[in-house]
Amino acid sequence: MSLNCNCPLPTAITTITPAACDENFGQIQKIAIQRVGDDFDGGMGNTITVLADWQTKIALATDVKIQVSPFIDNAVIGAGEAITNGGGDNTTLNGRVELVGINKSNVSGMFKSLTSAVIDALQSYNCENAIGVYFFNADGKIIAEELSTGVYTPFPISSFFVGDKTNNGFATRDENALSFQLNAGWSKNYKIITPAFNPLTAI
Amino acid sequence: MIKLQIKETLEVREFEKAHALSILRLKNCAFELPQDSQFEFINNEFRSKPDKAIDIETPNKGNSKTGSKPRKQA
């Protein structure tokens, strides 16, 4: 049993209702970054599918400001691995592997051909300690955390890092590595949202 | 405060001036100034719309307050 589990356990194991359709993110191409604490609640002027509501936040100069990243190549979300003790030795009962937690999920990607001004802006987020991200996929859909029905927030992240420019010489594009971590269990409440605009091009 | 309207729905919203300016400077901006706004957005700045041209053809209606009033007799 993981240390993250509720106690006491429910009376029966949880029912899994088969989904009617498969679900995949596809290729993530951009992220939108915001300090945590704000949401799109679906109310007037605060709806995640409305371009004007995104632009209202993008233009702000407060904690609510949203910034959309440049395109990200090779974006990958890894799974947070199990944190365990022992296994096949004397440190645990009967030599079992003792599950004690789950690591955060590592996200990595690559920005290409950035200017120094953009690198400077992106690296300023390395100092932020309470930010979150929305994902935009290749289909122009927004992937967000659904707090409750119709209320969306960015996924809280940690260890946001954009590295310095790397140069590989002739006929190559310079690159800046991106990495951050999503909280364990981040994918329990995600929602893929189809906006009324294409977030890859409109914002 | 400055009123902006959403181009698609014509819904009008009010913003602080600096916020409104930042919004209108965005590419593919979903907002615009309403027709009846006292401002126009030129070269990424707000400017007051020029006053309407003075209509010199309209005859004087004779409501001028210039001139002296008859003195009251003591």
Side-chain angles (χ1 to χ4, degrees):
Chain A
M1 179 192 288
S2 162
L3 292 180
N4 313 36
C5 299
N6 293 327
C7 189
L9 291 172
T11 52
I13 61 169
T14 307
T15 302
I16 301 174
T17 307
C21 305
D22 293 344
E23 198 161 70
N24 299 289
F25 286 180
Q27 187 181 48
I28 290 165
Q29 297 194 344
K30 281 189 176 183
I31 56 173
I33 301 154
Q34 186 184 37
R35 287 183 178 153
V36 295
D38 184 48
D39 59 36
F40 284 102
D41 62 9
M44 188 70 156
N46 199 25
T47 301
I48 197 165
T49 56
V50 176
L51 174 61
D53 297 349
W54 276 85
Q55 290 186 334
T56 298
K57 296 189 186 210
I58 286 168
L60 274 170
T62 67
D63 280 344
V64 180
K65 176 181 173 64
I66 291 177
Q67 178 62 53
V68 178
S69 77
F71 280 100
I72 303 166
D73 287 63
N74 198 24
V76 175
I77 305 175
E81 294 169 355
I83 304 169
T84 60
N85 286 333
D89 60 24
N90 197 42
T91 59
T92 56
L93 293 177
N94 301 318
R96 68 176 181 170
V97 174
E98 186 181 65
L99 178 63
V100 291
I102 307 168
N103 276 314
K104 289 170 180 267
S105 295
N106 291 318
V107 181
S108 62
M110 196 67 74
F111 294 113
K112 290 188 175 176
S113 307
L114 297 182
T115 63
S116 60
V118 175
I119 293 168
D120 186 27
L122 282 168
Q123 288 187 336
S124 74
Y125 304 144
N126 295 356
C127 302
E128 294 282 344
N129 54 19
I131 55 174
V133 297
Y134 295 96
F135 295 112
F136 300 161
N137 74 6
D139 300 324
K141 294 187 176 176
I142 299 167
I143 302 155
E145 179 171 354
E146 189 173 36
L147 273 188
S148 56
T149 306
V151 179
Y152 303 103
T153 62
F155 298 103
I157 63 166
S158 54
S159 307
F160 182 94
F161 175 74
V162 172
D164 278 319
K165 186 185 268 284
T166 60
N167 171 267
N168 294 302
F170 178 75
T172 61
R173 296 174 70 187
D174 293 349
E175 296 176 335
N176 290 75
L178 162 73
S179 64
F180 56 86
Q181 291 186 311
L182 291 158
N183 289 343
W186 70 273
S187 59
K188 285 194 289 190
N189 297 307
Y190 78 79
K191 192 84 174 181
I192 301 175
I193 300 145
T194 304
F197 61 96
N198 186 342
L200 295 173
T201 53
I203 53 177
Chain B
M1 300 293 280
I2 288 188
K3 287 180 181 172
L4 299 181
Q5 74 179 15
I6 300 174
K7 292 174 186 172
E8 204 167 298
T9 62
L10 303 184
E11 176 196 328
V12 175
R13 296 184 191 167
E14 270 195 328
F15 298 97
E16 297 282 346
K17 187 176 178 183
H19 190 190
L21 199 56
S22 297
I23 289 172
L24 290 181
R25 285 173 176 168
L26 293 172
K27 68 165 190 172
N28 304 317
C29 185
F31 291 90
E32 63 187 359
L33 286 163
Q35 287 285 337
D36 60 355
S37 175
Q38 58 180 311
F39 298 102
E40 51 191 356
F41 185 65
I42 297 173
N43 295 332
N44 280 332
E45 298 294 341
F46 285 130
R47 286 188 196 165
S48 294
K49 282 182 180 170
D51 292 337
K52 288 177 184 175
I54 298 166
D55 185 359
I56 57 172
E57 298 298 324
T58 305
N60 191 334
K61 300 270 170 87
N63 57 355
S64 169
K65 290 184 178 176
T66 56
S68 59
K69 290 179 181 176
R71 285 185 180 177
K72 286 183 180 176
Q73 296 292 328

